[in-house]
Amino acid sequence: MGEILALVEARLRTALGEPDARAAVTFLGTERIEVLRFVDGDVVRYATLGMSAQPMADPTAALADPVKGPRAELVLSVRAGLADTDKVLRGLAVLAASPQVEGLIVAPGASLDLGEPLWPGAPFSSVLVAESGGLVEDIQLDEPMEPVRFLPLLPMTHNEAAWKRVRGAQELQERWLSHGTDLRDPLRASVALD
């Protein structure tokens, strides 16, 4: 476990630079989850560290496989200075612990909901999990372990989350793209939905 997390932290530093802050949260019955903050000009990125220590297990399986299964970390990017986004640290740790706590498999296209604003005054309480491989490259691990994927999180308003449940993740992402939505704006309004 420690070896995997060392590889994850090294990959994050290579892709995003040195973190300027980090916070750790431990939930009862789970491994410790850290959230690292990276500042890149006018963008702040928050990345989890610890979610990939254990593979995510199928909630219907009788026993969780300690080796096989998807592994991931979460990455959230927002514009700096527009909102108190540092309050997202605990929320990100909660989302990163959800595979251990709730037996979820976090994968692209999934919605994750905190049930409260991501940060004070945020118009978002949920996020859409996007495809990995963009900002931070996956880490290949020795067989039979699956790679560690760095999954971007895209904040969704309540209306967008409801629309996504009906129409699907792909259609929501296409809607954002066609309207030129700035998904890093921590105060943005919902995209126009038909």
Side-chain angles (χ1 to χ4, degrees):
M1 175 185 102
E3 183 180 316
I4 290 172
L5 295 185
L7 290 171
V8 167
E9 185 165 356
R11 180 60 53 92
L12 286 169
R13 287 172 185 266
T14 299
L16 305 176
E18 285 299 310
D20 74 334
R22 64 194 309 148
V25 180
T26 305
F27 302 99
L28 186 64
T30 67
E31 301 289 338
R32 176 173 132 140
I33 303 286
E34 288 188 82
V35 180
L36 284 59
R37 183 180 72 186
F38 302 86
V39 178
D40 180 15
D42 70 337
V43 175
V44 180
R45 300 184 200 287
Y46 302 94
T48 62
L49 177 63
M51 182 177 169
S52 62
Q54 303 295 327
M56 291 180 268
D58 181 342
T60 62
L63 290 173
D65 191 310
V67 178
K68 293 181 185 175
R71 293 175 190 262
E73 296 291 352
L74 308 175
V75 181
L76 174 69
S77 300
V78 292
R79 298 225 176 277
L82 301 176
D84 188 9
T85 56
D86 282 350
K87 300 282 195 236
V88 78
L89 298 175
R90 180 169 170 68
L92 277 180
V94 167
L95 296 178
S98 61
Q100 291 180 52
V101 174
E102 300 174 36
L104 296 178
I105 293 183
V106 177
S111 299
L112 301 175
D113 195 325
L114 273 181
E116 62 186 39
L118 295 178
W119 50 81
F124 323 104
S125 64
S126 62
V127 293
L128 174 65
V129 181
E131 292 287 340
S132 68
L135 187 62
V136 184
E137 287 184 37
D138 298 346
I139 299 174
Q140 300 301 322
L141 301 175
D142 294 336
E143 291 288 338
M145 292 187 285
E146 292 186 32
V148 176
R149 302 192 188 291
F150 295 88
L151 302 171
L153 300 180
L154 309 175
M156 293 187 291
T157 65
H158 296 296
N159 288 343
E160 290 168 342
W163 201 79
K164 183 253 175 197
R165 280 192 293 277
V166 174
R167 296 288 196 75
Q170 184 65 36
E171 282 201 37
L172 178 58
Q173 288 179 301
E174 287 171 8
R175 178 61 54 118
W176 282 333
L177 191 59
S178 69
H179 284 76
T181 306
D182 181 2
L183 296 174
R184 293 179 181 167
D185 181 350
L187 302 172
R188 74 172 178 84
S190 184
V191 71
L193 303 169
D194 297 331

